[in-house]
Every structure is written in structure tokens, then in C-alpha cells.
Amino acid sequence: MVNFTRAHWQAIVWGGIIAGTIDIGAASLINMVDPIIVLRAVASGLLGAESFHMGLQSAALGAGLQIFISVVAAGVYVGAATRFAILTQRPVASGLVFGAIVYFVMNDIVVPLSSARSAPLHWLSFTENMAAMFVFGLLIAFIARYFLTLRAQAAV
């Protein structure tokens, strides 16, 4: 078992918050809807379609869920990076692969098991959403690299 240092926790929390927040913005741009609608869509994973009729409460729940899921994803990446140095040495390749993995886990496992309705994607929507997940993965990879290697080296 790895004992996480302060740098590990900073990478997890900052990576999750930054990537999760930007992911909401990307989803809003891709779908050309207000971020509140995107947050309600996230909350619909727990609340179902009723989420879209609940006002800001469901949007706040969606924001909390988004950040929670993103922090967990960052935790998975940082945990893996402590075992596999290549994840911090090659953040571009690692981030792109991680983003793709997150995309497929969310769309093929998490969403189907949730109360959210999933619409079939056409190729353009798939491409846009995959690009957003590449950004998500890259953000987590570079933030992990910063806290786990670059910042640590600067402190020495």
C-alpha cells in the first residue's frame, strides 16, 4: 500500500476539481446548453428525469457528483502513477489513454447502471465527447506530473 504524501493529495484534489470543472464547460459547449442543464444531467444519474424539474438543487447535486467523480478519477491516475513512473514521465500519451479509458468506463458502465437516460451518439458527438475526455485526461496527467515530480524537484 502506498502512503500518499501531501503532493499526492494535492494532485488528486486539484486534478479532479480543475478537470471536472472544465469538463462541465466542455459538455456545455458541445451540447450548446447552459452549464446548469449539464449539471442537472449529471444529477439525473441518481435522480432520473425528475432532475430536470428540480431547479438549482439538482444542479448543485450534479456539481457535487461531477467533482466527486473527477476527484476519484484523479485518485486512480495518481495511485497508478505512484506504481508506474511512465504516467508522469509521458503525460501526453498517458493522459490521452486515460481520457479514453474514462470515456468508455463512464459511457459503457457507469451511465447504463445509473438512472440517467443515455441518447445514442452519432460520430460527430462521439468525436466531440472523446476530445473532451482527452482534455480531461491530459489535465489530470499534467497536474499529477506537476505535483508529483516538477514541484517536488523545485522544492529540493
Coordinates of all heavy atoms in Angstrom, one line a residue, residues 66-132:
Q66 N -20.2 15.6 -10.1 CA -19.1 15.8 -11.1 C -17.8 15.9 -10.4 O -16.8 15.2 -10.9 CB -19.4 17.0 -11.9 CG -18.3 17.4 -12.9 CD -18.2 16.4 -14.1 OE1 -19.1 15.6 -14.3 NE2 -17.1 16.5 -14.8
I67 N -17.7 16.7 -9.4 CA -16.4 16.9 -8.7 C -16.0 15.6 -8.0 O -14.8 15.2 -8.1 CB -16.4 18.1 -7.8 CG1 -16.7 19.4 -8.5 CG2 -15.1 18.2 -6.9 CD1 -15.7 19.7 -9.7
F68 N -16.9 14.9 -7.4 CA -16.6 13.7 -6.7 C -16.0 12.6 -7.7 O -15.0 12.0 -7.5 CB -17.8 13.1 -6.0 CG -17.6 11.7 -5.5 CD1 -16.9 11.5 -4.3 CD2 -18.1 10.6 -6.1 CE1 -16.7 10.3 -3.8 CE2 -17.9 9.3 -5.6 CZ -17.2 9.1 -4.5
I69 N -16.7 12.5 -8.8 CA -16.3 11.5 -9.9 C -14.9 11.9 -10.4 O -14.0 11.1 -10.6 CB -17.3 11.4 -11.0 CG1 -18.6 10.7 -10.5 CG2 -16.8 10.7 -12.2 CD1 -19.8 10.8 -11.4
S70 N -14.7 13.2 -10.6 CA -13.4 13.7 -11.2 C -12.3 13.5 -10.2 O -11.2 13.1 -10.6 CB -13.6 15.1 -11.6 OG -14.6 15.3 -12.6
V71 N -12.6 13.7 -8.9 CA -11.5 13.5 -7.9 C -11.2 12.0 -7.8 O -10.0 11.6 -7.7 CB -12.0 14.1 -6.6 CG1 -11.1 13.7 -5.4 CG2 -12.0 15.7 -6.6
V72 N -12.2 11.2 -7.9 CA -12.0 9.7 -7.9 C -11.1 9.3 -9.1 O -10.1 8.6 -8.9 CB -13.3 8.9 -7.8 CG1 -13.0 7.4 -8.1 CG2 -13.9 9.1 -6.4
A73 N -11.4 9.9 -10.2 CA -10.7 9.6 -11.4 C -9.2 10.0 -11.3 O -8.3 9.3 -11.6 CB -11.3 10.2 -12.7
A74 N -9.0 11.2 -10.7 CA -7.7 11.7 -10.5 C -7.0 10.9 -9.5 O -5.8 10.6 -9.6 CB -7.7 13.2 -10.0
G75 N -7.7 10.4 -8.5 CA -7.1 9.5 -7.5 C -6.6 8.2 -8.1 O -5.6 7.6 -7.8
V76 N -7.4 7.6 -9.0 CA -7.0 6.4 -9.7 C -5.7 6.7 -10.5 O -4.8 5.9 -10.5 CB -8.1 5.9 -10.7 CG1 -7.6 4.9 -11.6 CG2 -9.3 5.4 -9.9
Y77 N -5.7 7.8 -11.2 CA -4.5 8.2 -12.0 C -3.3 8.3 -11.1 O -2.2 7.8 -11.4 CB -4.7 9.4 -12.9 CG -3.6 9.6 -13.9 CD1 -3.7 9.1 -15.1 CD2 -2.5 10.4 -13.5 CE1 -2.7 9.3 -16.1 CE2 -1.4 10.6 -14.4 CZ -1.5 10.0 -15.7 OH -0.5 10.2 -16.6
V78 N -3.4 9.1 -10.1 CA -2.3 9.4 -9.2 C -1.8 8.1 -8.5 O -0.6 7.8 -8.4 CB -2.6 10.5 -8.1 CG1 -1.6 10.6 -7.0 CG2 -2.8 11.8 -8.8
G79 N -2.8 7.3 -8.1 CA -2.4 6.0 -7.5 C -1.6 5.1 -8.5 O -0.6 4.5 -8.1
A80 N -2.1 5.1 -9.7 CA -1.3 4.3 -10.7 C 0.0 5.0 -11.0 O 1.0 4.3 -11.2 CB -2.1 4.3 -12.0
A81 N 0.1 6.3 -11.0 CA 1.4 7.0 -11.2 C 2.4 6.7 -10.2 O 3.6 6.8 -10.4 CB 1.1 8.5 -11.4
T82 N 2.0 6.4 -9.0 CA 2.9 6.0 -7.9 C 3.6 4.7 -8.2 O 4.7 4.4 -7.7 CB 2.3 6.0 -6.5 OG1 1.3 5.0 -6.5 CG2 1.7 7.4 -6.2
R83 N 2.9 3.8 -8.9 CA 3.4 2.5 -9.3 C 4.1 2.5 -10.7 O 5.0 1.7 -10.9 CB 2.3 1.5 -9.3 CG 1.7 1.2 -7.9 CD 0.8 0.1 -7.9 NE 1.3 -1.1 -8.5 CZ 1.5 -2.2 -7.9 NH1 1.1 -2.3 -6.6 NH2 2.0 -3.3 -8.5
F84 N 3.7 3.3 -11.6 CA 4.2 3.3 -12.9 C 4.7 4.7 -13.3 O 3.9 5.6 -13.7 CB 3.1 2.9 -13.9 CG 2.5 1.5 -13.6 CD1 1.2 1.5 -13.0 CD2 3.2 0.4 -13.8 CE1 0.7 0.2 -12.6 CE2 2.6 -0.9 -13.5 CZ 1.4 -0.9 -12.9
A85 N 6.0 4.9 -13.2 CA 6.6 6.2 -13.4 C 6.3 6.8 -14.8 O 6.3 8.0 -15.0 CB 8.1 6.2 -13.1
I86 N 6.0 5.9 -15.7 CA 5.8 6.4 -17.1 C 4.6 7.4 -17.2 O 4.5 8.2 -18.0 CB 5.6 5.2 -18.1 CG1 5.7 5.8 -19.5 CG2 4.3 4.5 -17.9 CD1 6.1 4.7 -20.5
L87 N 3.7 7.2 -16.2 CA 2.5 8.1 -16.2 C 2.8 9.5 -15.9 O 2.1 10.4 -16.4 CB 1.4 7.6 -15.2 CG 0.9 6.2 -15.5 CD1 -0.1 5.8 -14.4 CD2 0.2 6.2 -16.9
T88 N 3.9 9.8 -15.2 CA 4.4 11.2 -15.0 C 5.5 11.6 -16.0 O 5.7 12.7 -16.3 CB 4.9 11.4 -13.6 OG1 5.8 10.4 -13.2 CG2 3.7 11.4 -12.6
Q89 N 6.2 10.6 -16.5 CA 7.2 10.8 -17.5 C 6.7 11.2 -18.9 O 7.3 11.9 -19.6 CB 8.2 9.6 -17.6 CG 8.9 9.4 -16.3 CD 9.6 8.0 -16.3 OE1 9.4 7.2 -17.2 NE2 10.5 7.8 -15.3
R90 N 5.6 10.6 -19.2 CA 4.9 10.8 -20.5 C 3.5 11.2 -20.4 O 2.5 10.4 -20.7 CB 5.0 9.5 -21.3 CG 6.3 8.9 -21.5 CD 6.9 9.3 -22.9 NE 8.1 8.6 -23.2 CZ 9.3 9.2 -23.1 NH1 9.5 10.4 -22.7 NH2 10.4 8.5 -23.4
P91 N 3.2 12.4 -19.9 CA 1.9 12.8 -19.6 C 1.0 13.0 -20.8 O -0.3 12.8 -20.7 CB 2.1 14.2 -18.9 CG 3.4 14.7 -19.4 CD 4.2 13.5 -19.6
V92 N 1.5 13.3 -21.9 CA 0.6 13.4 -23.1 C 0.0 12.1 -23.5 O -1.2 11.9 -23.6 CB 1.4 14.1 -24.3 CG1 0.5 14.0 -25.6 CG2 1.8 15.5 -24.0
A93 N 0.9 11.1 -23.7 CA 0.4 9.8 -24.1 C -0.5 9.2 -23.0 O -1.6 8.6 -23.3 CB 1.5 8.8 -24.5
S94 N 0.0 9.3 -21.8 CA -0.7 8.7 -20.6 C -2.1 9.4 -20.4 O -3.1 8.7 -20.1 CB 0.1 8.8 -19.4 OG 1.3 8.2 -19.5
G95 N -2.1 10.7 -20.6 CA -3.3 11.5 -20.4 C -4.4 11.1 -21.5 O -5.6 11.0 -21.2
L96 N -3.9 11.0 -22.7 CA -4.8 10.6 -23.8 C -5.4 9.2 -23.6 O -6.6 9.0 -23.7 CB -4.1 10.7 -25.1 CG -3.7 12.1 -25.6 CD1 -2.8 12.0 -26.9 CD2 -4.9 13.0 -25.8
V97 N -4.6 8.3 -23.2 CA -5.1 6.9 -22.9 C -6.0 6.9 -21.7 O -7.1 6.3 -21.8 CB -3.9 6.0 -22.7 CG1 -4.4 4.6 -22.2 CG2 -3.1 5.8 -24.0
F98 N -5.7 7.7 -20.7 CA -6.5 7.7 -19.5 C -7.9 8.4 -19.8 O -8.9 7.9 -19.4 CB -5.8 8.5 -18.4 CG -6.6 8.5 -17.1 CD1 -6.8 7.4 -16.4 CD2 -7.2 9.7 -16.6 CE1 -7.6 7.4 -15.2 CE2 -7.9 9.7 -15.5 CZ -8.1 8.6 -14.7
G99 N -7.9 9.4 -20.6 CA -9.1 10.1 -21.0 C -10.0 9.1 -21.8 O -11.2 9.1 -21.6
A100 N -9.4 8.4 -22.7 CA -10.2 7.4 -23.5 C -10.8 6.3 -22.6 O -11.9 5.9 -22.7 CB -9.3 6.7 -24.6
I101 N -10.0 5.8 -21.6 CA -10.5 4.8 -20.7 C -11.6 5.4 -19.8 O -12.7 4.7 -19.7 CB -9.3 4.3 -19.7 CG1 -8.3 3.5 -20.5 CG2 -9.9 3.5 -18.6 CD1 -7.0 3.2 -19.8
V102 N -11.5 6.6 -19.4 CA -12.6 7.2 -18.6 C -13.8 7.4 -19.4 O -14.9 7.1 -19.0 CB -12.1 8.6 -18.0 CG1 -13.3 9.4 -17.4 CG2 -11.0 8.5 -17.0
Y103 N -13.7 7.8 -20.7 CA -14.8 7.9 -21.6 C -15.6 6.6 -21.7 O -16.8 6.5 -21.5 CB -14.4 8.3 -23.0 CG -15.5 8.4 -24.0 CD1 -16.3 9.5 -24.1 CD2 -15.8 7.2 -24.8 CE1 -17.3 9.5 -25.0 CE2 -16.9 7.3 -25.6 CZ -17.6 8.4 -25.8 OH -18.7 8.4 -26.6
F104 N -14.9 5.5 -21.9 CA -15.6 4.2 -22.1 C -16.1 3.7 -20.8 O -17.2 3.1 -20.8 CB -14.6 3.2 -22.8 CG -14.5 3.5 -24.3 CD1 -13.2 4.0 -24.7 CD2 -15.5 3.4 -25.2 CE1 -13.1 4.3 -26.1 CE2 -15.4 3.8 -26.5 CZ -14.1 4.2 -27.0
V105 N -15.4 3.9 -19.7 CA -16.0 3.4 -18.4 C -17.3 4.2 -18.1 O -18.3 3.6 -17.7 CB -14.9 3.6 -17.3 CG1 -15.6 3.5 -15.9 CG2 -13.8 2.6 -17.4
M106 N -17.2 5.5 -18.3 CA -18.4 6.3 -18.0 C -19.6 5.9 -18.9 O -20.7 5.8 -18.5 CB -18.1 7.8 -18.1 CG -17.2 8.3 -17.0 SD -17.8 8.0 -15.3 CE -19.3 9.0 -15.3
N107 N -19.3 5.8 -20.2 CA -20.4 5.6 -21.2 C -20.9 4.2 -21.3 O -22.0 3.9 -21.7 CB -20.0 6.1 -22.5 CG -20.1 7.6 -22.6 OD1 -21.1 8.2 -22.6 ND2 -18.9 8.3 -22.4
D108 N -20.0 3.2 -21.0 CA -20.4 1.8 -21.2 C -20.7 1.1 -19.9 O -21.3 0.0 -19.9 CB -19.2 1.1 -21.9 CG -19.1 1.5 -23.3 OD1 -20.0 2.1 -23.9 OD2 -18.0 1.3 -23.9
I109 N -20.3 1.7 -18.7 CA -20.5 1.0 -17.4 C -21.4 1.9 -16.5 O -22.5 1.6 -16.1 CB -19.2 0.6 -16.7 CG1 -18.5 -0.4 -17.6 CG2 -19.5 0.1 -15.4 CD1 -17.1 -0.7 -17.1
V110 N -20.9 3.1 -16.2 CA -21.5 4.0 -15.2 C -22.9 4.5 -15.7 O -23.8 4.3 -14.9 CB -20.6 5.2 -14.8 CG1 -21.3 6.1 -13.9 CG2 -19.3 4.6 -14.2
V111 N -22.9 5.1 -16.8 CA -24.2 5.7 -17.3 C -25.3 4.6 -17.4 O -26.4 4.8 -17.0 CB -24.1 6.5 -18.5 CG1 -25.4 7.0 -19.1 CG2 -23.2 7.8 -18.2
P112 N -25.0 3.5 -18.1 CA -26.0 2.4 -18.2 C -26.5 1.9 -16.8 O -27.7 1.5 -16.7 CB -25.3 1.3 -19.0 CG -24.3 2.0 -19.8 CD -23.8 3.1 -18.9
L113 N -25.7 1.9 -15.8 CA -26.1 1.5 -14.5 C -26.8 2.5 -13.7 O -27.4 2.3 -12.6 CB -24.9 1.0 -13.7 CG -24.2 -0.3 -14.2 CD1 -23.0 -0.6 -13.4 CD2 -25.2 -1.5 -14.1
S114 N -26.8 3.8 -14.2 CA -27.4 4.9 -13.5 C -28.9 5.0 -13.9 O -29.4 4.3 -14.7 CB -26.7 6.2 -13.8 OG -27.0 6.7 -15.0
S115 N -29.5 6.1 -13.3 CA -30.9 6.4 -13.7 C -31.0 7.4 -14.9 O -32.1 7.8 -15.3 CB -31.6 7.0 -12.5 OG -31.7 6.1 -11.4
A116 N -29.9 7.8 -15.4 CA -29.8 8.7 -16.5 C -30.3 8.1 -17.8 O -30.0 6.9 -18.0 CB -28.4 9.3 -16.7
R117 N -30.9 8.8 -18.6 CA -31.3 8.3 -19.9 C -30.1 8.6 -20.8 O -29.6 9.8 -20.9 CB -32.5 9.0 -20.5 CG -33.8 8.7 -19.8 CD -35.0 9.3 -20.4 NE -34.8 10.8 -20.2 CZ -35.3 11.7 -21.0 NH1 -36.1 11.4 -21.9 NH2 -35.1 13.0 -20.7
S118 N -29.6 7.7 -21.6 CA -28.5 7.9 -22.5 C -29.0 7.9 -23.9 O -29.7 7.0 -24.3 CB -27.4 6.9 -22.3 OG -27.8 5.6 -22.5
A119 N -28.7 8.9 -24.6 CA -29.1 9.0 -26.0 C -28.0 8.4 -26.9 O -26.8 8.5 -26.6 CB -29.3 10.5 -26.4
P120 N -28.3 7.7 -28.0 CA -27.3 7.2 -28.9 C -26.5 8.4 -29.5 O -27.0 9.4 -29.8 CB -28.1 6.5 -30.0 CG -29.5 7.0 -29.9 CD -29.7 7.5 -28.5
L121 N -25.2 8.1 -29.6 CA -24.3 9.2 -30.2 C -24.1 8.9 -31.6 O -23.9 7.8 -32.1 CB -23.0 9.1 -29.4 CG -22.9 9.5 -28.0 CD1 -21.5 9.3 -27.4 CD2 -23.4 10.9 -27.8
H122 N -24.1 10.0 -32.4 CA -23.6 9.9 -33.8 C -22.1 10.2 -33.8 O -21.5 10.6 -32.8 CB -24.4 10.7 -34.7 CG -24.5 12.2 -34.4 ND1 -23.4 13.0 -34.6 CD2 -25.4 13.0 -33.9 CE1 -23.7 14.2 -34.2 NE2 -24.9 14.2 -33.8
W123 N -21.5 10.0 -34.9 CA -20.0 10.1 -35.0 C -19.5 11.5 -34.5 O -18.4 11.6 -33.9 CB -19.5 9.7 -36.3 CG -19.8 10.7 -37.4 CD1 -20.9 10.8 -38.2 CD2 -19.0 11.9 -37.8 NE1 -20.8 11.9 -39.0 CE2 -19.7 12.6 -38.8 CE3 -17.8 12.4 -37.3 CZ2 -19.2 13.7 -39.3 CZ3 -17.3 13.5 -37.9 CH2 -18.0 14.2 -38.9
L124 N -20.2 12.6 -34.9 CA -19.7 13.9 -34.5 C -19.8 14.1 -33.0 O -18.8 14.5 -32.4 CB -20.5 15.0 -35.2 CG -20.0 16.4 -34.9 CD1 -18.6 16.6 -35.3 CD2 -20.9 17.4 -35.6
S125 N -20.9 13.7 -32.4 CA -21.0 13.8 -31.0 C -20.0 12.9 -30.3 O -19.3 13.3 -29.3 CB -22.4 13.3 -30.5 OG -22.6 13.5 -29.2
F126 N -19.7 11.7 -30.8 CA -18.7 10.8 -30.2 C -17.4 11.5 -30.3 O -16.6 11.5 -29.3 CB -18.7 9.5 -31.0 CG -17.5 8.6 -30.6 CD1 -17.4 7.9 -29.5 CD2 -16.4 8.6 -31.5 CE1 -16.3 7.1 -29.1 CE2 -15.2 7.9 -31.2 CZ -15.2 7.1 -30.0
T127 N -17.0 12.1 -31.4 CA -15.7 12.7 -31.6 C -15.6 13.9 -30.6 O -14.5 14.0 -30.0 CB -15.6 13.2 -33.1 OG1 -15.8 12.0 -33.9 CG2 -14.2 13.8 -33.3
E128 N -16.6 14.7 -30.5 CA -16.5 15.9 -29.6 C -16.4 15.4 -28.2 O -15.6 16.0 -27.4 CB -17.8 16.7 -29.8 CG -17.9 17.4 -31.1 CD -19.2 18.1 -31.3 OE1 -20.2 17.6 -30.8 OE2 -19.2 19.0 -32.1
N129 N -17.2 14.4 -27.8 CA -17.1 13.9 -26.4 C -15.8 13.2 -26.1 O -15.2 13.4 -25.0 CB -18.3 13.0 -26.1 CG -19.5 13.8 -25.9 OD1 -19.6 14.5 -24.9 ND2 -20.5 13.7 -26.8
M130 N -15.3 12.5 -27.1 CA -13.9 11.9 -26.9 C -12.9 12.9 -26.8 O -12.0 12.8 -25.9 CB -13.6 10.9 -28.0 CG -12.3 10.1 -27.8 SD -12.2 9.1 -26.4 CE -13.1 7.7 -26.9
A131 N -12.9 14.0 -27.6 CA -12.0 15.1 -27.5 C -12.0 15.7 -26.1 O -11.0 16.0 -25.5 CB -12.2 16.1 -28.6
A132 N -13.2 15.9 -25.6 CA -13.4 16.5 -24.2 C -12.7 15.6 -23.2 O -12.1 16.0 -22.2 CB -14.8 16.7 -23.9

